[in-house]
Amino acid sequence: MRNVFIGRGMTKIVNLLFPLRCPVCDEIVPVGEGKACRSCRGKIRYIREPKCQKCGRQLNDEAKVFCSACEGKKHLFDRGVALYDYQSMKKSVYRFKYKNRCEYAAFYAQEIYKRLKNEIHCMEADAIIPIPLHVSRQKSRGYNQAELIAAHLSKLTGIPLEKNLVKRIRKTVPQKQLDARARQNNLKKAFNIKPNVVKLSKTILIDDIYTTGSTVDAVARELKCRGVGTVYFITLCIGEGF
Ligand SMILES: [Zn+2]
Ligand SMILES: [Zn+2]
């Protein structure tokens, strides 16, 4: 696995030995084109305005404030934003999560920083917190994909990374196998916050995919029980607006 944080000179050498793969097409990126092929960048669909004021999903109706999922649900998080439309990047995220493409994290974080800089600034957060994996899953995968993005984003924004604050204490069934109600039950008592260390007032949770919001809600519940006032989230991908 590539070391996430290496110096600039070292990066050049590592790039020669292990050329970067493009997060979109997974081919080796042509020299001088950065972290993704120039031609692939145009294929990415970003979440644009109008957006749901709660979950950040793109809306197809200017007159609406919330998406229909948020209209019918009370969330425990305060608000969130998303970078990509899930459909346009789902293969990329799949490789990132399951095929050891940790190197994509630097590109994703750069993109988040570039496109959502204003939103991040307005959040005035004291900490960036990745949604944790259960220790056994992290061991078998070798890394937590949300933590990789969070670490890069913390460097770019200067907002401290809190990667050991939230623990996943229960091994849960993968959320994608469940419907909305089952997702909520699946996450009951799944997370735990390290006691007596939280002196945070505003936090940003980082996750890879937002579907119903039940994972972010479950962590937000625990953080707020420990006195965190505001819980925002940033997710790499979100499904289409409706
Ligand atoms: Zn490409
Ligand atoms: Zn919404």
Side-chain angles (χ1 to χ4, degrees):
M1 199 197 306
R2 272 169 165 270
N3 192 336
V4 184
F5 299 117
I6 43 183
R8 227 167 239 196
M10 251 335 253
T11 307
K12 276 188 182 159
I13 296 165
V14 171
N15 283 349
L16 282 174
L17 296 173
F18 308 99
L20 272 181
R21 289 191 174 268
C22 167
V24 183
C25 69
D26 203 39
E27 296 296 325
I28 290 166
V29 183
V31 177
E33 299 201 1
K35 292 185 170 60
C37 321
R38 210 166 285 147
S39 56
C40 283
R41 289 174 192 257
K43 294 177 192 158
I44 301 173
R45 284 206 310 272
Y46 297 94
I47 299 298
R48 297 181 191 283
E49 298 287 349
K51 296 176 185 176
C52 171
Q53 296 302 298
K54 196 73 187 174
C55 73
R57 211 186 294 271
Q58 192 166 322
L59 302 171
N60 42 25
D61 182 353
E62 286 269 359
K64 285 182 83 174
V65 179
F66 301 112
C67 70
S68 38
C70 287
E71 270 173 354
K73 191 173 185 303
K74 194 169 167 3
H75 285 293
L76 298 167
F77 63 77
D78 289 85
R79 197 174 167 168
V81 282
L83 179 67
Y84 299 133
D85 167 74
Y86 175 62
Q87 286 304 322
S88 79
M89 288 298 271
K90 72 175 178 191
K91 287 184 182 154
S92 173
V93 175
Y94 181 84
R95 293 192 299 268
F96 176 55
K97 279 177 86 162
Y98 303 111
K99 301 285 177 193
N100 221 13
R101 289 284 188 257
C102 305
E103 66 214 70
Y104 293 179
F107 174 75
Y108 294 151
Q110 256 180 16
E111 291 253 286
I112 290 171
Y113 184 59
K114 195 171 115 194
R115 303 221 165 224
L116 301 170
K117 200 190 276 175
N118 290 342
E119 283 92 335
I120 295 170
H121 184 72
C122 289
M123 290 172 183
E124 297 179 320
D126 328 290
I128 288 180
I129 302 171
I131 298 285
L133 294 178
H134 188 267
V135 70
S136 64
R137 188 162 293 153
Q138 181 151 348
K139 240 181 192 166
S140 63
R141 191 173 293 176
Y143 56 97
N144 171 4
Q145 70 281 0
E147 188 183 311
L148 296 183
I149 300 174
H152 282 286
L153 197 62
S154 165
K155 279 208 143 188
L156 291 167
T157 57
I159 303 168
L161 174 71
E162 288 282 358
K163 62 174 183 177
N164 298 317
L165 191 65
V166 184
K167 283 250 177 310
R168 201 161 192 140
I169 48 169
R170 213 159 58 75
K171 208 177 165 191
T172 50
V173 181
Q175 291 287 86
K176 63 182 176 188
Q177 296 171 11
L178 306 168
D179 65 20
R181 186 172 291 263
R183 277 169 190 250
Q184 254 173 342
N185 287 332
N186 186 39
L187 291 168
K188 269 194 187 139
K189 299 203 167 67
F191 297 100
N192 193 358
I193 312 290
K194 230 184 190 178
N196 306 324
V197 287
V198 184
K199 290 192 178 57
L200 304 169
S201 83
K202 295 175 182 176
T203 60
I204 303 175
L205 297 176
I206 305 290
D207 207 0
D208 49 3
I209 305 164
Y210 180 101
T211 313
T212 62
S214 43
T215 307
V216 183
D217 273 336
V219 178
R221 179 199 303 274
E222 298 302 321
L223 286 171
K224 290 193 172 187
C225 281
R226 298 277 179 175
V228 174
T230 311
V231 180
Y232 298 109
F233 74 82
I234 299 172
T235 179
L236 190 62
C237 300
I238 198 163
E240 223 163 82
F242 50 91

